[in-house]
Amino acid sequence: MINMKRLSSNLEDLSKIGRNPNGGMNRFSFTDEEKEANKLVEQYMEEAGLSVYYDAVGNLIGSMDGAENLPVILLGSHIDTVPDGGKYDGALGVLSAIEVMHTIKENGIQLKHPVRVISFKDEEGSRFGYGMIGSRTVAGTLKAEDLLREDDSGISIQQAMKNFGLKERPLESAKLVNVKAYLEIHIEQGKVLESNHVGVGNVTGIAGPLWLKFHLKGLAEHAGATPMNQRHDALTAASLIIAETEKIAKQFPPAVATVGKMTIKPNGVNVIPGEVEWTIDIRSIDESQRNNIEQMIKQFAGKITTKRELELQVSELQRIAPVQCDEDIQTAIQESIREIGEEVVSLPSGAGHDGMQFKDRFPVGMIFVKSVDGISHNPKELSLEKDIEKGSNVLYHTLLRVDGT
Ligand code: HGY
Ligand code: MN
Ligand code: MN
Ligand code: MN
């Protein structure tokens, strides 16, 4: 069984890096915080007997040879966070995978397949508004032009990679093809496991996120001298569109739509807003339903824009298809959950994960660990040690099953 004391202390130590005064995590890609966190994860990987290296985009990889020349099994997750994030999102997946490999080494088990534990670069997309650059690179889908995307201070991903000290290498060198399976353990970030009174779950599929940016242009004018019926107020129009977005999404459960970022220009108390920019994150496990929601929002926004003589630009930040988890891996996970004496609960993931990038490339399986009150992307994010231990042991047994040991 895994060593929960070691895993818990590693989780605690990693969570000290990038922690802000109110206990939230700010660990963004290609920053000093991430460099420090990478150093710690490298150490854990080496202690687990893994040989450590970085690929062309900066994924941190711990590798263990297999007894036979077989396709590789990938374990992974991410250590970057959302702004003011929690201590388990992503970090649990990387550290639990390392703990499983450490336990395999201590138990003197020689796996047939080679294994790579990957700490994927920039899963959240917090800094550049374009997530999963690490897993896209492994899937071979990251394009050179994607690296031109910039953060709020105008630094491109490419420049950030150079500043981070990454050796320049062709992205293709990081693509992995001969892969047997990708396994990820992650906190659920929702309330299904808790409402079913279980600590772990088998993931059936991952909802795909569509991120759009709306930019509305009106006319900044004097708040006191401009009559109400002669305004081109970008913020009032945006508020109507955002209210309608919520109404539309509520018609199609379990699909969701979220406005997470917004800027107002010139942002003065006594100035009618001339420009407003906001993001919408639309998710569904059903791609056609998501596209339908997207069209309905765009149509409504177009109507409001024309009526109020404003200018609207809608740009796509990312569009990731939903993915179904592999049936055989789900069976291995379900058997492993039973093996540790737990009841099997299977559920879709509303949150996005690196495994989506491997759709139609190699089989994906995910194990969920209960989130207390379903809270995540919040400093209050919490998963209990006993559930983390169960989930990590399920990952251990699932890896042995997938390996055929
Ligand atoms: O956006 C997500 O679902 C994940 O946290 N990257
Ligand atoms: Mn997240
Ligand atoms: Mn995550
Ligand atoms: Mn993930």
Side-chain angles (χ1 to χ4, degrees):
M1 291 312 182
I2 64 114
N3 178 330
M4 189 57 213
K5 205 158 151 293
R6 178 168 58 203
L7 176 52
S8 169
S9 119
N10 291 354
L11 269 166
E12 185 50 34
D13 288 348
L14 180 57
S15 76
K16 289 174 190 148
I17 302 172
R19 189 186 284 178
N20 61 35
N22 74 334
M25 307 306 308
N26 282 353
R27 224 173 20 232
F28 306 132
S29 47
F30 305 112
T31 60
D32 291 343
E33 292 78 16
E34 186 184 61
K35 193 164 272 189
E36 194 190 340
N38 275 347
K39 278 267 150 282
L40 197 56
V41 173
E42 277 182 44
Q43 177 202 318
Y44 298 151
M45 285 180 165
E46 278 154 6
E47 287 163 0
L50 302 173
S51 50
V52 175
Y53 66 97
Y54 289 85
D55 70 9
V57 77
N59 289 323
L60 170 51
I61 300 170
S63 172
M64 185 177 274
D65 290 340
E68 298 165 33
N69 182 17
L70 290 168
V72 66
I73 297 174
L74 302 182
L75 308 178
S77 197
H78 60 94
I79 59 170
D80 67 299
T81 71
V82 293
D84 209 23
K87 99 180 213 189
Y88 301 90
D89 178 358
L92 168 65
V94 172
L95 298 184
S96 168
I98 294 170
E99 174 50 39
V100 162
M101 296 311 289
H102 203 144
T103 306
I104 283 191
K105 181 185 100 169
E106 281 171 340
N107 294 353
I109 297 172
Q110 170 61 59
L111 295 174
K112 293 181 191 156
H113 295 75
V115 173
R116 291 195 192 154
V117 176
I118 307 184
S119 176
F120 286 109
K121 204 66 173 180
D122 199 17
E123 190 271 352
E124 295 288 5
S126 302
R127 183 173 168 188
F128 300 98
Y130 184 65
M132 305 189 190
I133 63 167
S135 42
R136 290 176 201 267
T137 305
V138 166
T141 54
L142 191 76
K143 299 184 289 305
E145 60 265 29
D146 294 328
L147 298 181
L148 304 178
R149 290 165 186 257
E150 295 179 352
D151 64 12
D152 294 344
S153 58
I155 297 176
S156 70
I157 299 178
Q158 198 168 43
Q159 190 52 50
M161 287 167 78
K162 276 201 196 100
N163 301 348
F164 198 67
L166 258 185
K167 257 188 1 249
E168 266 197 70
R169 281 171 286 171
L171 289 175
E172 294 67 49
S173 63
K175 180 176 174 184
L176 294 175
V177 285
N178 194 17
V179 175
K180 171 152 176 88
Y182 170 69
L183 303 176
E184 179 172 356
I185 179 172
H186 200 286
I187 53 171
E188 177 199 343
Q189 303 176 296
K191 308 177 194 307
V192 172
L193 294 180
E194 190 163 63
S195 51
N196 280 276
H197 310 294
V198 291
V200 291
N202 160 55
V203 179
T204 55
I206 309 172
L210 164 60
W211 289 3
L212 299 171
K213 186 167 71 179
F214 281 62
H215 185 100
L216 206 45
K217 233 163 121 46
L219 184 62
E221 289 181 290
H222 197 292
T226 316
M228 288 310 286
N229 63 355
Q230 292 173 26
R231 295 179 171 214
H232 301 285
D233 179 341
L235 183 53
T236 315
S239 319
L240 293 171
I241 296 168
I242 292 168
E244 184 68 15
T245 297
E246 186 192 52
K247 228 168 92 194
I248 292 168
K250 279 184 173 172
Q251 292 167 28
F252 302 98
V256 289
T258 311
V259 174
K261 286 179 83 165
M262 178 176 247
T263 48
I264 299 165
K265 284 184 184 158
N267 209 27
V269 174
N270 57 355
V271 184
I272 299 170
E275 282 186 66
V276 176
E277 189 170 277
W278 69 97
T279 58
I280 300 189
D281 171 329
I282 308 171
R283 311 250 178 143
S284 170
I285 195 85
D286 169 347
E287 197 163 0
S288 58
Q289 181 186 67
R290 188 184 71 182
N291 296 343
N292 181 23
I293 292 169
E294 174 195 2
Q295 292 318 318
M296 289 173 76
I297 295 169
K298 284 180 174 174
Q299 269 154 21
F300 182 84
K303 256 186 357 207
I304 291 284
T305 305
T306 316
K307 200 160 142 234
R308 293 168 172 251
E309 293 170 279
L310 302 169
E311 258 174 68
L312 173 66
Q313 252 186 334
V314 182
S315 46
E316 184 177 299
L317 297 178
Q318 68 170 351
R319 181 185 296 264
I320 306 176
V323 70
Q324 300 308 321
C325 290
D326 177 78
E327 289 302 331
D328 294 341
I329 300 179
Q330 287 194 57
T331 308
I333 291 171
Q334 289 163 349
E335 285 166 1
S336 303
I337 292 174
R338 286 190 198 97
E339 186 172 348
I340 65 160
E342 290 292 309
E343 184 207 335
V344 174
V345 169
S346 292
L347 68 162
S349 171
H353 296 287
D354 287 303
M356 295 185 299
Q357 299 304 332
F358 308 136
K359 178 184 171 91
D360 307 334
R361 280 184 172 72
F362 28 89
V364 170
M366 281 196 79
I367 298 157
F368 268 171
V369 171
K370 183 177 88 177
S371 292
V372 172
D373 299 334
I375 293 178
S376 179
H377 282 189
N378 179 317
K380 291 201 186 78
E381 187 177 276
L382 173 65
S383 284
L384 304 175
E385 286 217 345
K386 65 181 174 67
D387 296 333
I388 293 172
E389 186 166 17
K390 285 176 193 166
S392 304
N393 282 321
V394 168
L395 179 65
Y396 174 86
H397 292 300
T398 304
L399 175 59
L400 295 184
R401 281 189 164 83
V402 170
D403 181 58
T405 314

Short mmCIF file of all heavy atoms in Angstrom, two decimals, residues 144-169:
data_model
loop_
_atom_site.label_atom_id
_atom_site.label_comp_id
_atom_site.label_asym_id
_atom_site.label_seq_id
_atom_site.Cartn_x
_atom_site.Cartn_y
_atom_site.Cartn_z
N ALA A 144 3.09 25.96 -33.51
CA ALA A 144 4.07 27.03 -33.21
C ALA A 144 3.35 28.35 -32.93
O ALA A 144 3.69 29.07 -32.01
CB ALA A 144 5.04 27.15 -34.37
N GLU A 145 2.27 28.61 -33.72
CA GLU A 145 1.60 29.91 -33.52
C GLU A 145 0.90 30.00 -32.15
O GLU A 145 0.67 31.08 -31.63
CB GLU A 145 0.59 30.24 -34.64
CG GLU A 145 -0.54 29.28 -34.83
CD GLU A 145 -0.26 28.24 -35.91
OE1 GLU A 145 0.93 27.91 -36.10
OE2 GLU A 145 -1.23 27.76 -36.51
N ASP A 146 0.62 28.83 -31.57
CA ASP A 146 0.00 28.87 -30.23
C ASP A 146 0.95 29.53 -29.22
O ASP A 146 0.54 30.11 -28.24
CB ASP A 146 -0.32 27.45 -29.74
CG ASP A 146 -1.40 26.77 -30.58
OD1 ASP A 146 -2.28 27.50 -31.08
OD2 ASP A 146 -1.34 25.55 -30.76
N LEU A 147 2.26 29.41 -29.51
CA LEU A 147 3.24 29.95 -28.55
C LEU A 147 3.33 31.48 -28.62
O LEU A 147 4.05 32.09 -27.85
CB LEU A 147 4.63 29.33 -28.82
CG LEU A 147 4.72 27.81 -28.64
CD1 LEU A 147 6.15 27.33 -28.89
CD2 LEU A 147 4.27 27.38 -27.23
N LEU A 148 2.59 32.06 -29.57
CA LEU A 148 2.63 33.53 -29.68
C LEU A 148 1.59 34.18 -28.77
O LEU A 148 1.54 35.38 -28.63
CB LEU A 148 2.39 33.93 -31.15
CG LEU A 148 3.37 33.31 -32.16
CD1 LEU A 148 3.03 33.73 -33.58
CD2 LEU A 148 4.82 33.66 -31.78
N ARG A 149 0.74 33.36 -28.14
CA ARG A 149 -0.27 33.93 -27.24
C ARG A 149 0.43 34.62 -26.08
O ARG A 149 1.44 34.11 -25.58
CB ARG A 149 -1.18 32.81 -26.71
CG ARG A 149 -2.10 32.25 -27.80
CD ARG A 149 -2.70 30.93 -27.38
NE ARG A 149 -3.46 30.32 -28.44
CZ ARG A 149 -4.80 30.33 -28.52
NH1 ARG A 149 -5.48 30.98 -27.60
NH2 ARG A 149 -5.42 29.72 -29.49
N GLU A 150 -0.13 35.76 -25.66
CA GLU A 150 0.56 36.57 -24.67
C GLU A 150 -0.20 36.63 -23.35
O GLU A 150 -1.41 36.48 -23.31
CB GLU A 150 0.72 38.01 -25.22
CG GLU A 150 1.62 38.06 -26.44
CD GLU A 150 1.75 39.48 -27.00
OE1 GLU A 150 1.03 40.37 -26.54
OE2 GLU A 150 2.59 39.66 -27.91
N ASP A 151 0.55 36.90 -22.27
CA ASP A 151 -0.11 37.11 -20.97
C ASP A 151 -0.51 38.59 -20.85
O ASP A 151 -0.30 39.36 -21.79
CB ASP A 151 0.81 36.68 -19.83
CG ASP A 151 2.08 37.53 -19.74
OD1 ASP A 151 2.14 38.58 -20.42
OD2 ASP A 151 3.02 37.14 -19.03
N ASP A 152 -1.09 38.96 -19.73
CA ASP A 152 -1.61 40.35 -19.59
C ASP A 152 -0.50 41.39 -19.67
O ASP A 152 -0.76 42.56 -19.91
CB ASP A 152 -2.37 40.50 -18.25
CG ASP A 152 -3.64 39.63 -18.25
OD1 ASP A 152 -4.05 39.19 -19.36
OD2 ASP A 152 -4.18 39.35 -17.16
N SER A 153 0.77 40.96 -19.48
CA SER A 153 1.84 41.97 -19.58
C SER A 153 2.50 41.91 -20.96
O SER A 153 3.55 42.51 -21.19
CB SER A 153 2.90 41.73 -18.47
OG SER A 153 3.41 40.42 -18.63
N GLY A 154 1.90 41.18 -21.89
CA GLY A 154 2.41 41.18 -23.28
C GLY A 154 3.55 40.21 -23.52
O GLY A 154 4.19 40.24 -24.58
N ILE A 155 3.85 39.33 -22.54
CA ILE A 155 4.91 38.33 -22.76
C ILE A 155 4.29 37.09 -23.41
O ILE A 155 3.27 36.58 -22.92
CB ILE A 155 5.59 37.93 -21.43
CG1 ILE A 155 6.27 39.17 -20.81
CG2 ILE A 155 6.62 36.81 -21.64
CD1 ILE A 155 6.89 38.90 -19.44
N SER A 156 4.88 36.64 -24.53
CA SER A 156 4.32 35.47 -25.23
C SER A 156 4.78 34.20 -24.51
O SER A 156 5.75 34.21 -23.74
CB SER A 156 4.81 35.44 -26.67
OG SER A 156 6.20 35.13 -26.67
N ILE A 157 4.10 33.10 -24.80
CA ILE A 157 4.50 31.80 -24.23
C ILE A 157 5.95 31.51 -24.66
O ILE A 157 6.79 31.12 -23.88
CB ILE A 157 3.56 30.66 -24.71
CG1 ILE A 157 2.11 30.92 -24.26
CG2 ILE A 157 4.05 29.30 -24.23
CD1 ILE A 157 1.10 29.89 -24.73
N GLN A 158 6.22 31.80 -25.94
CA GLN A 158 7.58 31.56 -26.48
C GLN A 158 8.63 32.34 -25.67
O GLN A 158 9.64 31.78 -25.25
CB GLN A 158 7.58 32.06 -27.92
CG GLN A 158 8.69 31.53 -28.78
CD GLN A 158 8.39 31.88 -30.24
OE1 GLN A 158 7.97 33.00 -30.54
NE2 GLN A 158 8.55 30.92 -31.14
N GLN A 159 8.35 33.61 -25.42
CA GLN A 159 9.29 34.45 -24.68
C GLN A 159 9.42 33.95 -23.24
O GLN A 159 10.52 33.83 -22.69
CB GLN A 159 8.80 35.92 -24.68
CG GLN A 159 9.82 36.92 -24.14
CD GLN A 159 11.18 36.78 -24.82
OE1 GLN A 159 11.26 36.75 -26.05
NE2 GLN A 159 12.25 36.65 -24.02
N ALA A 160 8.29 33.56 -22.67
CA ALA A 160 8.30 33.06 -21.28
C ALA A 160 9.13 31.78 -21.19
O ALA A 160 9.86 31.56 -20.23
CB ALA A 160 6.86 32.78 -20.83
N MET A 161 9.07 30.96 -22.24
CA MET A 161 9.87 29.72 -22.26
C MET A 161 11.35 30.06 -22.27
O MET A 161 12.15 29.48 -21.54
CB MET A 161 9.50 28.87 -23.50
CG MET A 161 8.15 28.20 -23.41
SD MET A 161 7.57 27.53 -24.97
CE MET A 161 8.52 26.04 -25.11
N LYS A 162 11.71 31.09 -23.08
CA LYS A 162 13.12 31.52 -23.15
C LYS A 162 13.54 32.09 -21.78
O LYS A 162 14.54 31.66 -21.22
CB LYS A 162 13.29 32.62 -24.20
CG LYS A 162 13.44 32.10 -25.61
CD LYS A 162 14.10 33.12 -26.56
CE LYS A 162 13.85 32.71 -28.01
NZ LYS A 162 12.73 33.46 -28.64
N ASN A 163 12.69 32.97 -21.24
CA ASN A 163 13.05 33.60 -19.94
C ASN A 163 13.19 32.54 -18.85
O ASN A 163 13.96 32.69 -17.91
CB ASN A 163 11.95 34.59 -19.50
CG ASN A 163 11.73 35.71 -20.52
OD1 ASN A 163 12.53 35.86 -21.45
ND2 ASN A 163 10.64 36.45 -20.37
N PHE A 164 12.44 31.43 -19.01
CA PHE A 164 12.43 30.37 -18.00
C PHE A 164 13.72 29.54 -18.09
O PHE A 164 14.02 28.74 -17.22
CB PHE A 164 11.20 29.48 -18.25
CG PHE A 164 10.78 28.61 -17.10
CD1 PHE A 164 10.28 29.15 -15.92
CD2 PHE A 164 10.88 27.21 -17.19
CE1 PHE A 164 9.88 28.33 -14.86
CE2 PHE A 164 10.48 26.39 -16.15
CZ PHE A 164 9.99 26.96 -14.97
N GLY A 165 14.43 29.73 -19.22
CA GLY A 165 15.70 29.01 -19.39
C GLY A 165 15.54 27.69 -20.10
O GLY A 165 16.40 26.82 -20.04
N LEU A 166 14.39 27.49 -20.78
CA LEU A 166 14.16 26.23 -21.51
C LEU A 166 15.03 26.19 -22.77
O LEU A 166 15.02 27.14 -23.54
CB LEU A 166 12.69 26.12 -21.93
CG LEU A 166 11.78 25.22 -21.11
CD1 LEU A 166 10.41 25.16 -21.75
CD2 LEU A 166 12.34 23.81 -20.96
N LYS A 167 15.73 25.05 -22.94
CA LYS A 167 16.53 24.89 -24.18
C LYS A 167 15.56 24.88 -25.37
O LYS A 167 14.50 24.25 -25.29
CB LYS A 167 17.23 23.51 -24.13
CG LYS A 167 18.71 23.59 -23.78
CD LYS A 167 19.55 22.31 -23.90
CE LYS A 167 18.96 21.02 -24.37
NZ LYS A 167 18.83 19.95 -23.43
N GLU A 168 15.92 25.60 -26.45
CA GLU A 168 15.02 25.61 -27.62
C GLU A 168 15.13 24.29 -28.37
O GLU A 168 16.21 23.94 -28.81
CB GLU A 168 15.36 26.79 -28.53
CG GLU A 168 14.49 28.00 -28.21
CD GLU A 168 14.49 29.04 -29.32
OE1 GLU A 168 13.93 28.76 -30.39
OE2 GLU A 168 15.09 30.08 -29.07
N ARG A 169 14.05 23.55 -28.46
CA ARG A 169 14.03 22.27 -29.20
C ARG A 169 12.70 22.20 -29.96
O ARG A 169 11.72 22.82 -29.54
CB ARG A 169 14.08 21.10 -28.21
CG ARG A 169 15.45 20.78 -27.66
CD ARG A 169 15.34 19.77 -26.56
NE ARG A 169 14.80 20.37 -25.34
CZ ARG A 169 14.44 19.65 -24.27
NH1 ARG A 169 14.48 18.34 -24.30
NH2 ARG A 169 14.00 20.24 -23.19
#
